[in-house]
Amino acid sequence: MIQSLRGMNDILSEDYERFEYFIATASTIAKRYGFHYIETPLLEETALFKRSVGESSDIVGKEMYQFIDKGKNDVCLRPEGTAGVVRAFIQHKLDKKGGIHRFYYHGPMFRYERPQKGRLREFHQFGIESFGVASVYEDALMIMMVSDILKALGIGYRLKLNSLGDQNCMPAYREKLVRFIESCGDAICGDCERRKLTNPIRVLDCKNEHCQNLYVNAPKLIDNLCEGCESDFETLKSILDQHSIAYEIDTNLVRGLDYYSKTAFEFVSDNIGSQSAIAGGGRYDRLIEFLDGKPTPAVGFALGIERLMELIVMPEKVREGYYFGAMDETAIKPILLAAEKARRSEKAVVEYKPRKLQDHLKGSDRINARYCAIIGENEMNQNSIWVKDLVEKTETLIPLNEFFA
C-alpha cells in the first residue's frame, strides 16, 4: 500500500478544525493591525534562499528540497516564507514605489530534517512581513501581534529577546567572537568550524551541548552594541514594559537565518518538549538590498502551525445549520428540494436513507446541527416539513412553499 512520505502528514477533519481556527484567528488579528494577504509560489529558484537565508544556515546547507527541473533550472521547494515575499516585493517594484507595505501569508514550507513532534518535513507557517518602517516601534508591533495571536488561541508563552546589532557594531563584534572561537581550538563541532568562516554569530545558535558549554564565556553582542542599536533596544524594552509583555534577555538568541539584524525575538512554550520555539522573528533591514532591491527597512515573524496545534484552546462548538431526513422513500425528493433552499444561506446536510425520527435526531447530534428537518407521511399529506430547533427545544410545522421562500 502506498503511504504518505515520512514527515509529510495528512490533515484530517478533526485536526483541520484546529488548523482552520488558527488561520482564521491569526488572519483576523493581522487585518486589525492593517496587514494585507499575499501568496507566493511554493517553488522558487534555489539562489533566492542561498542569497537570503545564507549558505551558513542548516536550511541551505542540509535541509532544502532542491532539484534541477526539466528546463534545467536549479529550483527548490520553499523552506521558509520571508525570502519569497521579499522577492515578490522587489519583482513588483514595490521597493521603488516607496511607502509602507504590510503583508501576511500562510501556507506549506518544506525542510528535509528528522521528523519529530511538531516538526515535519512539510509544515505550515503563518507569517508577517512589514516593509518601509525603520522605527523600533514597528518591531514592538510585531511582538504585540504575536502576543495577541497566542492569547487569542489560549496559548501561554515566554518571550526571549536580543539585539543582533547592525553594520556599525557587528564587524567589531565579529572579530572579537572569531578570536574567542579560535581560542577554543579543535573543541568546537564541525558545524561551528564551518560557521566560523561564513557567519560566526551562528555558532551561538549551535545545538551541540559541548559547544554551548564552551560559549558560556563568549563575548556578548548585547555588550558591544553601538549607540543607535543600544538606544533602540532600550526603547523596545520600555514599549513592552508599557504594554505588560514580559520578556527575558537571551544573549545567545541569533535566530536560524542569516538575514536578521538589530531586534531578534522568539516565543517559546514549555509544553511541547525540547523543541520549544513556537514563533520567532526580527528585523532584516539589508535583505532587500542583498536581493538587488532598493534598500528598505523590514521586520517580520513566523509561527509554526503544527507546533501550536495541541496547544490551541478551541472555543465551544456552536450548533449550526440543518440536518434533513426522510421517513420513507416518497419524502426524499421534497427533502432534497428543501435542503437546496436552505443551503442558500445555511449549512445543510441530507441523510438519503429513510430512518425513524429518533435515528434522524441522533444524526443531527452527530453533525452538531441546530435544526432537524424531517418529512414523513403526515408531512407529505400536509405538504409541509417538521423542524425542531435543537437549541431552543421547539418544534414547528412549516408549509413547504414557505420554507426559505
Side-chain angles (χ1 to χ4, degrees):
M1 185 180 69
I2 297 174
Q3 298 188 357
S4 62
L5 296 173
R6 185 169 182 239
M8 297 188 176
N9 292 355
D10 303 308
I11 303 177
L12 302 181
S13 180
E14 183 176 340
D15 286 335
Y16 190 73
E17 285 185 20
R18 289 179 173 272
F19 188 90
E20 191 174 41
Y21 178 65
F22 171 89
I23 295 296
T25 300
S27 298
T28 297
I29 291 172
K31 290 174 185 176
R32 288 175 185 166
Y33 275 80
F35 285 72
H36 304 277
Y37 184 71
I38 186 172
E39 185 159 330
T40 60
L42 272 65
L43 199 65
E44 297 270 12
E45 287 190 36
T46 300
L48 171 65
F49 300 103
K50 286 188 174 181
R51 289 174 60 186
S52 58
V53 177
E55 298 276 5
S56 71
S57 71
D58 288 344
I59 293 174
V60 170
K62 303 176 182 179
E63 299 171 358
M64 288 203 300
Y65 278 87
Q66 179 183 355
F67 59 95
I68 305 299
D69 71 6
K70 293 182 179 180
K72 308 301 181 185
N73 302 298
D74 188 351
V75 299
C76 69
L77 294 170
R78 63 185 185 191
E80 58 93 43
T82 299
V85 176
V86 172
R87 191 265 313 145
F89 177 77
I90 297 169
Q91 181 176 331
H92 295 283
K93 297 181 170 57
L94 298 180
D95 57 326
K96 305 293 193 299
K97 185 177 180 180
I100 299 171
H101 303 271
R102 295 185 171 111
F103 301 108
Y104 74 93
Y105 58 91
H106 50 79
M109 312 290 164
F110 302 84
R111 296 181 192 174
Y112 193 87
E113 56 183 342
R114 185 171 66 85
Q116 52 190 294
K117 184 178 180 181
R119 188 179 288 273
L120 303 171
R121 290 177 174 172
E122 180 185 7
F123 59 99
H124 296 78
Q125 284 187 343
F126 179 92
I128 289 285
E129 314 296 345
S130 172
F131 303 102
V133 184
S135 171
V136 71
Y137 282 92
E138 192 77 352
D139 304 22
L141 185 84
M142 299 293 110
I143 293 172
M144 288 189 285
M145 198 187 313
V146 180
S147 177
D148 283 351
I149 291 171
L150 296 178
K151 286 177 182 176
L153 297 170
I155 298 173
Y157 65 81
R158 290 185 294 114
L159 169 61
K160 295 183 177 182
L161 205 60
N162 195 19
S163 176
L164 305 181
D166 62 12
Q167 63 269 33
N168 295 314
C169 48
M170 176 58 78
Y173 171 73
R174 186 182 287 113
E175 289 182 13
K176 285 185 180 180
L177 183 60
V178 169
R179 286 198 297 271
F180 175 85
I181 297 170
E182 289 175 342
S183 73
C184 296
D186 297 332
I188 62 175
C189 70
D191 283 339
C192 285
E193 191 67 46
R194 174 174 55 85
R195 289 164 178 162
K196 180 183 70 174
L197 303 174
T198 54
N199 186 7
I201 192 175
R202 285 294 320 286
V203 303
L204 301 176
D205 192 39
C206 182
K207 301 301 187 289
N208 184 302
E209 186 176 349
H210 176 68
C211 288
Q212 281 299 320
N213 291 333
L214 291 174
Y215 301 147
V216 168
N217 297 317
K220 309 300 182 188
L221 179 51
I222 203 168
D223 297 328
N224 292 269
L225 297 176
C226 62
E227 185 178 347
C229 289
E230 186 171 3
S231 175
D232 277 353
F233 196 54
E234 291 302 318
T235 299
L236 175 62
K237 291 189 290 183
S238 69
I239 297 169
L240 298 180
D241 290 339
Q242 183 181 20
H243 289 268
S244 300
I245 297 177
Y247 57 86
E248 54 191 73
I249 306 301
D250 183 349
T251 56
N252 283 352
L253 175 61
V254 297
R255 305 291 296 130
L257 310 176
D258 287 358
Y259 51 60
Y260 286 99
S261 62
K262 289 192 173 182
T263 301
F265 60 86
E266 194 167 80
F267 286 76
V268 300
S269 168
D270 297 324
N271 299 317
I272 57 171
S274 60
Q275 299 290 340
S276 61
I278 54 178
R283 181 161 286 279
Y284 51 95
D285 287 344
R286 301 184 68 194
L287 180 56
I288 292 87
E289 183 180 357
F290 289 166
L291 294 176
D292 302 324
K294 181 181 178 181
T296 306
V299 62
F301 69 80
L303 298 97
I305 300 179
E306 279 82 2
R307 314 209 70 196
L308 297 171
M309 291 289 273
E310 292 184 11
L311 306 179
I312 295 173
V313 178
M314 293 288 287
E316 185 177 346
K317 284 189 176 182
V318 177
R319 283 185 174 269
E320 60 177 351
Y322 280 78
Y323 169 99
F324 287 89
M327 296 184 71
D328 59 50
E329 291 284 347
T330 60
I332 294 177
K333 287 184 178 179
I335 274 292
L336 289 172
L337 290 172
E340 183 183 8
K341 288 183 178 181
R343 208 172 280 124
R344 296 169 192 164
S345 59
E346 298 272 0
K347 181 180 81 173
V349 176
V350 179
E351 169 56 63
Y352 304 116
K353 186 175 181 180
R355 296 180 182 276
K356 296 179 181 179
L357 175 60
Q358 200 61 35
D359 292 331
H360 283 311
L361 290 171
K362 290 178 181 177
S364 302
D365 289 336
R366 278 195 297 273
I367 66 166
N368 210 39
R370 173 162 185 172
Y371 301 99
C372 179
I374 304 296
I375 296 180
E377 183 179 354
N378 291 338
E379 289 75 26
M380 286 290 291
N381 292 333
Q382 299 177 53
N383 198 31
S384 62
I385 185 168
W386 177 84
V387 178
K388 181 169 184 175
D389 185 328
L390 298 169
V391 174
E392 300 294 334
K393 309 299 182 185
T394 58
E395 302 174 12
T396 312
L397 196 63
I398 304 172
L400 278 173
N401 60 359
E402 296 178 11
F403 186 72
F404 283 94

